[in-house]
Amino acid sequence: MRNFSQLSNLMIADEESVKMLEEADSARILLISDSHGSKSVLFNILERFGPEADALCFCGDGLPDLIGIIEDFYSIEGYEDYIPRTVIFVQGNGDLSNYSLVTDDRHPISVPQEIAFTVAGKKVLMTHGHRYDVYLGTKALKAEAERIGADIAFYGHTHIANAQIKTNSKTKANLSFFNPGSCSLPRGGLPHTFALITIDRNKEKADYSYFELKWDTKGEIDFLPFMPPTKEINLFW
């Protein structure tokens, strides 16, 4: 069985998987946020897309859902393959700073407010977003991404899917911002969404595919391609 304990970098992973993610020519990231207690929805996304992802990035507000699913998948033979080898997460404004993950033992889990890491040679900044006032746009988040030299920023909190490519004011390089929206409580008339982000060390821009969750009359979930808004989001306009 896999070891789901937390590394010193606060990821749930093993050192080899983290190194592979950093050194890969290309890697696919499953990006999810704001499940807010909808553990079953998160389960369905991971069941379908987890095996093909190199890492799972969860942008907060629903960490008990994520931890509960890891515990469930650990206890059911074959289900652990639905969890990508590297799991990266941050604290949402509705999450605690510490949890326990119970597998064959009880593992203490510390939750960072934000985290920076490398994927295919590109630096990624991930945060929930409330500390950067993302309800008003990504100006403050962009400033922090530029300060630390990030190429990509992941965030949530708004419950509105969004994908933007901006120009770094210092280096003039592309700076990508991805908000997967909420998989359970979307706002702005948008559907329940999440994203797959492909990062390639030889491409200046990350590629992205967003999906909406659609329930049929029997309650079964289908995943349909979705085109996210690409303009700045301000919830108070």
Side-chain angles (χ1 to χ4, degrees):
M1 300 289 285
R2 277 170 57 187
N3 180 7
F4 284 102
S5 58
Q6 190 174 35
L7 298 176
S8 60
N9 62 13
L10 303 185
M11 300 178 188
I12 297 178
D14 57 75
E15 298 284 0
E16 182 181 0
S17 296
V18 174
K19 185 176 181 181
M20 288 176 62
L21 194 66
E22 293 173 348
E23 297 180 352
D25 290 329
S26 179
R28 177 174 279 192
I29 308 300
L30 179 56
L31 183 62
I32 308 175
S33 190
D34 294 278
S35 58
H36 285 280
S38 294
K39 182 180 171 184
S40 61
V41 171
L42 192 56
F43 176 95
N44 280 275
I45 297 171
L46 286 167
E47 186 179 34
R48 169 63 180 83
F49 292 92
E52 64 186 69
D54 298 295
L56 166 64
C57 287
F58 188 81
C59 295
D61 273 359
L63 282 174
D65 305 325
L66 176 60
I67 290 171
I69 284 175
I70 293 175
E71 292 176 342
D72 292 345
F73 283 5
Y74 183 87
S75 64
I76 302 173
E77 186 175 356
Y79 273 44
E80 64 183 49
D81 294 335
Y82 295 141
I83 303 290
R85 301 295 303 188
T86 300
V87 179
I88 309 170
F89 49 87
V90 291
Q91 182 183 8
N93 56 296
D95 294 321
L96 302 178
S97 58
N98 293 278
Y99 290 92
S100 290
L101 172 64
V102 181
T103 55
D104 56 342
D105 200 356
R106 183 178 294 274
H107 306 279
I109 300 295
S110 297
V111 185
Q113 291 190 341
E114 63 186 44
I115 190 169
F117 54 96
T118 300
V119 178
K122 303 295 177 66
K123 188 170 186 177
V124 181
L125 168 65
M126 185 166 77
T127 186
H128 184 59
H130 59 298
R131 298 175 64 242
Y132 294 99
D133 295 323
V134 295
Y135 279 177
L136 302 174
T138 57
K139 182 179 179 180
L141 181 58
K142 180 175 184 284
E144 177 62 12
E146 291 180 346
R147 187 188 71 80
I148 70 167
D151 305 289
I152 299 165
F154 295 156
Y155 70 104
H157 190 51
T158 64
H159 294 213
I160 296 176
N162 193 244
Q164 295 185 59
I165 308 296
K166 296 188 174 185
T167 301
N168 187 310
S169 60
K170 298 178 181 178
T171 66
K172 306 307 178 185
N174 286 320
L175 181 53
S176 302
F177 293 82
F178 297 112
N179 184 333
S182 172
C183 64
S184 69
L185 296 171
R187 294 182 178 127
L190 297 182
H192 304 68
T193 56
F194 63 95
L196 282 171
I197 311 296
T198 302
I199 300 173
D200 191 310
R201 70 171 57 247
N202 296 315
K203 291 185 178 180
E204 192 175 357
K205 297 179 182 179
D207 294 324
Y208 60 90
S209 299
Y210 280 62
F211 295 88
E212 66 171 286
L213 290 79
K214 202 83 168 181
W215 282 262
D216 64 20
T217 56
K218 297 180 180 180
E220 299 293 325
I221 296 179
D222 195 11
F223 302 100
L224 305 178
F226 173 74
M227 184 59 67
T230 56
K231 294 182 180 180
E232 192 74 85
I233 300 297
N234 186 321
L235 295 182
F236 298 101
W237 281 345

